[in-house]
Structures are given as structure tokens and as C-alpha cells.
Amino acid sequence: MCSIFAILDIQSDATPLRQVALEMSKLLRHRGPDWSGIYSSDKAILAHERLAIVDIEHGAQPLLSTDETLILAVNGEIYNHKELKAELGDKYSYQTNSDCEVILALYQEYGIDFLDKLNGIFAFVLYDKTKDSYLIGRDHMGIIPLYTGHDSKGNFYIASEMKALMPVCKTVEEFKPGHYVTAEGYQQYYQRDWQDFSAVQDNEASVDELREALEAAVKRQLMSDVPYGVLLSGGLDSSVISAITQTYAKRRIEDDGASDAWWPQLHSFAVGLEGAPDLAAAQKVADAIGTIHHEITFTFQDGLDAIKDVIYHLETYDVTTIRAATPMYLMARKIKAMGIKMVLSGEGADELFGGYLYFHKAPNAQAFHEELVRKLDKLHLFDCLRANKAMAAWGLEARVPFLDKEFIDTAMRINPEAKMSKDGRIEKHILRTAFEHKLPKEVAWRQKEQFSDGVGYSWIDGLKDHAAQEVDDLQLANAKFRFPYNTPETKEAYFYRCFFEAHFPLPSAAETVPGGKSVACSTPEALAWDESLQGIIDPSGRAVQSVHESAY
């Protein structure tokens, strides 16, 4: 991961703003510890903190066009940059081998109408000196974070994380995924036919097509000039990604497999409390696929001690996200200590295939599919945020092949009837069928275990107990006065909200976090599916009665 920080629409003296940009960008240096760069003029300031993954020697940012009229700061990876360069031909002279430089060429060729051509994870600011205009864009799913704000003088700020806006802005908001912004305002560029049930209800379901599409996505995302690894929880999703990665790990993706990989042995990482179900399952997968496996254990106290820092880095008070992110945050530090700079992870599969256990309660294919679409629309606020920021806290990049733009189209165009958990079928049956040949049977057909549960049930149970000791009944009863927006409904939620408020005191900061009732990560709309889902406030998968094997 890298970070970007920019000041545009400058309404005041730009000279002191350059120092402001340098200081605020420093707050993001955990995301990009390898190098810093800045461009400044009276009209625009762009700062960048770099985590070098591709073109280590020449990819420093901000990037400039050959005539130095275009300035670009990017956080992300453009997986199809070679194809895009081939499409553009010999019109452009590239100054680096950075995958991100192609954005400058695309802008010169197409103006602002190129974003949907990009297959990658990105957030960028592009300033055009000639036109005194700018273009800001964020990837299709919001895998890379981005926030905006205004100061008291009307200057417009953009930053990879909200913490860099807190000292200077009066208001902040999240930049919408799948959108771009110019001086004229927001414009959505990412729209798909599969967002409507009518477009998919009669489609065929091909296991072979699904398998090939995911393998292609993983291969695309393995471009790297630095050591990488895989996060292996022992659940289906991470196990599938790990197994596919292992098939490509011995050859260098960057030259289409013509040479040996620079780091031919794949390392996998699992985290949990001592004796956690995820640890045992992960070891079985690692033994089966042949990774060099690292089991990272933590104690409940280790996790509890990290909560305040986790909330600072994640910039959320969402209970599910904090529960799951804390073990990831602890694991990321160990991974970075080993010299790994990039990891592949399994986020997104549950939203594409209905993997959460409450999906068993879906009344029909249309309700099932519409919930998938709602989940994907909100993913930038939950799993994308968690995977990105928990890793970036220690200078690690997380890539998520299930959310590859091309693979999403394949997965979401499958007839939702083929994804449903009915007639005795386990959740994500079609995905399991596609990859069962690569995994131990007991892992391929293991029941869904949410990450915060899989690291050890006592993790969540302990957090509830600790919050009950820290927050008294009167505080919770009067929570609406202290927190009128998204008022906490449990003592655990109140406990986290207090840390968030201390880090991010602006009222608009609280509004960047979603709310509403949820059971096992459902949206509020899905609670109407079944009476057993109503009257419960618990994001754990164990809250889904008659489905989870250890339901409470």
C-alpha cells in the first residue's frame, strides 16, 4: 500500500500549505514507508508515501507526464497495465515500469472517460496544469480507501486515510467507490447489468468457467517485484486462493512464466488463539498444498491491548470489523517482520456466493441475489476496509482476487439459484465444487466460520465480557445523548465508540461508519427473511440458530 494526500481548489496562500501537506502525509507513512514525494504549486499540492511493490527503482511518485503538465499520485495496482499499454500502442513514452503510469497515458488519450478500462485496486489524484483541472478516482469496490474534506478557508483535501484530515479539516467524508470527481462533481463510472436480478435469473451456471476466471484473477494479481505470501485461515476462501497461488508461485508472472520466480517458495500465515479452529484447518491446507506455513498465536490480552490502535488504523467503530481486524493487525506485524510486503487474501467470496450463514434463510433466488448486491455495495465499509487498513498499518499490501473486476462479473452473472443453500446444499456449494480437487475434503466442505469466530470463540466472548465490565448500564441507557448518530445498542459497541470518538472527534467522521441492525453480517433488509433473525443484535455467525453447528 501507498498513501496519497492532496490539496486542490486552493483558496488561500499556497506557500504554507506545502508544509501542511508534508506534515499530514507523515501521518500516513505507515502505508508507504519506502519513499516520500511531493509536487506543489499555487494551484495544487500532491504528496505521496510509497510502498514499493512494482518497479522498485523507478516508480517514485508523484508521476509526471513527459511534458510535466500532468501530475499523478496513486495508491494501488493496475493489474491489466500491460494490456492497456498494448492497446495504446507506441503513442506514449513511458518513463518508468510502474503499472500506474498507464493512467497518465489513458488520460491523454481518452480524457476522463477511461476509468472502467482499469482492472485493479486504486485511488488516485491527477492534476492537469494546462487546464487547471483535476480528476480523482477510486476503484470499483472501494478496495483502496479514500477520504475528502474541506478546511475553514474552503481548500479541498484528499487523503488515503481520515486521520490525515482530522487536524486540518472542518468536515470529512468517504469518497464513493466506483466514482470519479472533477470540479463539476461526482460521477459514477462502475455500473453492471448483474445489479438487476432480471439480468441473471435465467443464466447458466458453469463450474469450469468459474474455476478458470478465479485462476486468471489470482495470476493477474501476483505481479510483484518483492516477496509475497498468502493469508490462510483454513476456511474455504483463503484456502482456495492459497492453493491457486501455489500453482503459479514457482514462475515469474511478470514475464509470463518465462523465468523462475525470485522467491519460489510460497509462505502462508494463519492467526488465532491457542487451539483455535482456524489454526488446525490452516495447517491441513498448508500440508496439502506445500506452503511454508507460519502459525501466529495471540492471547486475549494481546488483542485487548491492541484495540485502541486498531480503531485508530481502521477508522471505524463497527463491531464486526474490529473483532476481525484485531487478529489481522497482530498477524500483519509478524508478516512484515519476515520481509513480506504483499499478501493475497480471501475477502469477497461470501458477498459473491452467499457464504454468510444467514443466507440459508433466504426465501427465494431474487431475495438472495439482491442481498448479494447490497453486500457488495457496502463492502468498502467492512471487509475491504479491514483487509486494507489492518495490513497497511504495518506497510503491507493486501490483494483480494475474489474482488477482481473481471471475476466479479463472472461470479455475479451466475444464476443465483445455483448459489443458494437449499436442498441440503452447504453455503458456497458451487465454489467448493470448483476447487474441491485442490483441498483436503474436510476443509473444502467445512462450514463457514467468520474470521472473528474462527480465531477462537473465546476472543469474541471475552470482548463482550470485558465491555460489560467497562460500560455500566446507565452509560448504555443514555448513549443517545453522547452518541446521537448511530447510537450504540450494546456495551461492546459503546466501548469501541469511545475510542473512535477520541481519535476522530469530528461529527462528520462518525457519519463515515455504517449503522443498522445486523445478524451474522447481514444487512438490515435481510432480517425480515426469518423470525429467528429478529430481536438479535450479534454479528457472529453463531447467532444464526439451526444453521451454525455451535449456535447459541
Side-chain angles (χ1 to χ4, degrees), residues 23 67 79 143 186 193-194 199 230 262 269 288 304 315 323 418 422 460 480 526:
E23 291 299 316
D67 63 2
Y79 300 128
I143 297 162
Y186 264 107
D193 59 349
W194 49 256
V230 289
W262 293 355
F269 301 88
L304 188 62
E315 305 180 323
R323 287 177 175 181
K422 64 179 188 178
I460 290 177
K480 62 184 178 183

Side-chain angles (χ1 to χ4, degrees), residues 4 42 61 64 91 101 122 133 137 179 219 231 287 293 306 318 323 335 354 417 430 433 477 483 524 538:
I4 58 177
D42 290 341
Q61 295 192 37
L64 275 65
K91 296 180 182 179
E101 192 179 357
F122 58 84
S133 64
H179 283 68
K219 187 176 182 181
L231 303 186
D287 292 342
H293 189 60
D318 175 67
R323 287 177 175 181
I335 294 173
E417 279 282 352
I430 189 170
T433 302
F483 305 116
D538 194 338

Side-chain angles (χ1 to χ4, degrees), residues 274-330:
E274 198 72 47
D278 275 3
L279 295 180
Q283 187 64 61
K284 287 180 183 177
V285 177
D287 292 342
I289 66 176
T291 59
I292 299 175
H293 189 60
H294 306 273
E295 186 175 285
I296 298 165
T297 59
F298 71 101
T299 67
F300 175 77
Q301 191 62 50
D302 291 334
L304 188 62
D305 290 343
I307 290 284
K308 186 176 181 180
D309 288 341
V310 168
I311 292 171
Y312 173 74
H313 280 289
L314 262 70
E315 305 180 323
T316 187
Y317 48 83
D318 175 67
V319 171
T320 312
T321 306
I322 294 166
R323 287 177 175 181
T326 303
M328 286 189 76
Y329 172 85
L330 295 171

Side-chain angles (χ1 to χ4, degrees), residues 118-188:
L118 301 174
N119 183 355
I121 54 177
F122 58 84
F124 71 80
V125 175
L126 188 157
Y127 178 66
D128 186 331
K129 287 170 62 176
T130 303
K131 297 179 181 178
D132 187 23
S133 64
Y134 58 81
L135 174 65
I136 308 166
R138 191 180 181 194
D139 67 62
H140 59 299
M141 281 287 113
I143 297 162
I144 300 295
L146 195 64
Y147 297 85
T148 61
H150 285 86
D151 67 12
S152 59
K153 297 177 181 177
N155 297 314
F156 180 37
Y157 290 76
I158 305 96
S160 293
E161 294 182 2
M162 196 162 52
K163 57 182 63 65
L165 302 178
M166 285 294 109
V168 290
C169 290
K170 295 297 183 182
T171 59
V172 297
E173 62 180 334
E174 190 203 22
F175 191 100
K176 298 175 185 176
H179 283 68
Y180 66 82
V181 161
T182 63
E184 284 71 48
Y186 264 107
Q187 181 68 44
Q188 184 174 6

Side-chain angles (χ1 to χ4, degrees), residues 9 35 116 151 165 229 247 290 415 423 437 440 468 487 499 526:
D9 284 341
W35 196 251
D116 205 24
D151 67 12
L165 302 178
T247 64
N415 190 326
D423 301 327
H437 64 290
T487 303
F499 285 134

Side-chain angles (χ1 to χ4, degrees), residues 438-457:
K438 285 185 172 289
L439 302 172
K441 183 178 180 181
E442 61 270 33
V443 173
W445 298 98
R446 179 189 177 198
Q447 185 180 60
K448 163 68 183 174
E449 196 74 89
Q450 287 168 215
F451 185 68
S452 52
D453 286 326
V455 298
Y457 294 155

Side-chain angles (χ1 to χ4, degrees), residues 50 52-59 77 81-82 97-99 221-228 252-255 262-263 339 341-342 397 399:
R50 188 182 187 211
I53 302 287
V54 175
D55 191 12
I56 310 302
E57 296 179 4
H58 307 106
E77 308 288 347
H81 68 106
K82 289 184 178 180
N97 290 319
S98 167
D99 54 290
Q221 298 195 15
L222 286 176
M223 65 175 198
S224 175
D225 293 333
V226 299
Y228 64 82
R252 188 156 166 76
I253 297 300
E254 293 69 23
D255 60 9
W262 293 355
W263 297 276
K341 295 181 76 173
M342 184 270 282
E397 177 171 285
R399 298 184 184 175

